[in-house]
Amino acid sequence: MTFFVRTKRKISGLLKALFRKRTFRIGIYGPPNAGKTTLANRIVRDWVGDAVGPVSEVPHETRRVRRKEDITITGQNGGSVTIDIVDTPGVTTKIDYNEFVEYGIEKEEAVKRAREATEGVAEAMHWLREDIDGVIYMLDSTQDPFQQVNIMLIGIIESRKLPVVIVANKNDLPDASAARIKSAFPQHPVISISGLEGNNVDELYEKMTTYFG
């Protein structure tokens, strides 16, 4: 997205936001290291010039829910939505401190991080049950989707009938395959992006204004 296009959309979105009464809480959910914080940073940087939090190749870098408020996104069709973006820890059934040790982190610090990450997952699920209005479900398109999907998370989304946008991330990598992700969600549209490089994020923004607006 060019600077001038982004600026034009920001101004248009801000004007429309004056007449909006509700801000939607949109949670970015998915497995560890799928690129959730990278995408959260991309969205916030594109629309308000800020960031949500740090990223790392070490799993569970995000161990607490983080929220950035009042972000107005405007699509190419002129639609807009004002959201709080909620960046969540990677949802998984078990967090082993050895995952951190493998990256050279000392055992005491690794145990602390594993405990924090476990608490963070519980916090993220509480948000999903109580406070989230819509979900960006992000999966790593270089990996098997059936090894990434969390059944409990899917169950909560379905029971609450939350609108969900499924994102196949990391399409900048040579072994990425959006078709791989689509095979796990044949009834849902899947948007292939690179949160890191910004590939195809305009399509995601367009979808967000439609699904969450």
Side-chain angles (χ1 to χ4, degrees):
M1 186 189 302
T2 68
F3 172 79
F4 293 106
V5 171
R6 189 182 306 126
T7 301
K8 181 179 178 181
R9 290 193 192 174
K10 281 183 183 178
I11 293 170
S12 174
L14 288 171
L15 289 173
K16 291 183 178 183
L18 293 174
F19 301 97
R20 298 186 65 89
K21 294 184 178 180
R22 186 177 177 199
T23 298
F24 295 85
R25 291 192 183 123
I26 305 303
I28 304 178
Y29 282 82
N33 278 27
K36 298 179 297 299
T37 300
T38 299
L39 177 61
N41 285 340
R42 167 71 59 180
I43 293 170
V44 174
R45 190 162 51 242
D46 277 353
W47 297 102
V48 297
D50 202 349
V52 175
V55 297
S56 169
E57 66 175 5
V58 179
H60 308 290
E61 178 65 26
T62 300
R63 296 185 294 281
R64 287 289 183 269
V65 171
R66 302 187 184 107
R67 180 173 64 172
K68 203 72 176 178
E69 299 179 330
D70 294 327
I71 302 165
T72 299
I73 294 173
T74 305
Q76 293 178 341
N77 63 1
S80 68
V81 62
T82 299
I83 65 172
D84 293 348
I85 200 75
V86 181
D87 181 32
T88 67
V91 175
T92 184
T93 54
K94 182 181 179 181
I95 300 169
D96 190 333
Y97 76 87
N98 286 305
E99 295 180 59
F100 300 101
V101 172
E102 290 173 1
Y103 283 84
I105 295 172
E106 295 294 329
K107 181 178 178 180
E108 183 177 355
E109 175 64 18
V111 170
K112 176 175 176 287
R113 288 192 180 203
R115 183 173 61 251
E116 290 174 348
T118 301
E119 292 170 354
V121 170
E123 180 188 15
M125 299 302 272
H126 176 78
W127 272 77
L128 186 61
R129 291 186 186 98
E130 303 292 337
D131 299 312
I132 294 296
D133 300 306
V135 173
I136 296 173
Y137 195 21
M138 173 170 279
L139 299 172
D140 182 341
S141 64
T142 70
Q143 304 295 322
D144 181 350
F146 296 101
Q147 298 296 321
Q148 301 181 69
V149 170
N150 184 279
I151 299 302
M152 182 181 294
L153 188 151
I154 294 292
I156 296 171
I157 292 172
E158 291 183 345
S159 68
R160 293 196 59 213
K161 297 180 172 58
L162 295 173
V164 57
V165 174
I166 297 168
V167 172
N169 193 33
K170 305 187 181 181
N171 74 3
D172 55 306
L173 300 180
D175 52 349
S177 170
R180 187 184 290 133
I181 305 301
K182 288 177 182 177
S183 68
F185 299 94
Q187 306 302 319
H188 294 272
V190 175
I191 301 175
S192 175
I193 72 162
S194 168
L196 180 64
E197 299 296 334
N199 300 345
N200 215 30
V201 293
D202 281 350
E203 182 181 344
L204 173 60
Y205 295 151
E206 197 74 38
K207 187 69 70 175
M208 289 172 70
T209 64
T210 302
Y211 272 46
F212 304 141

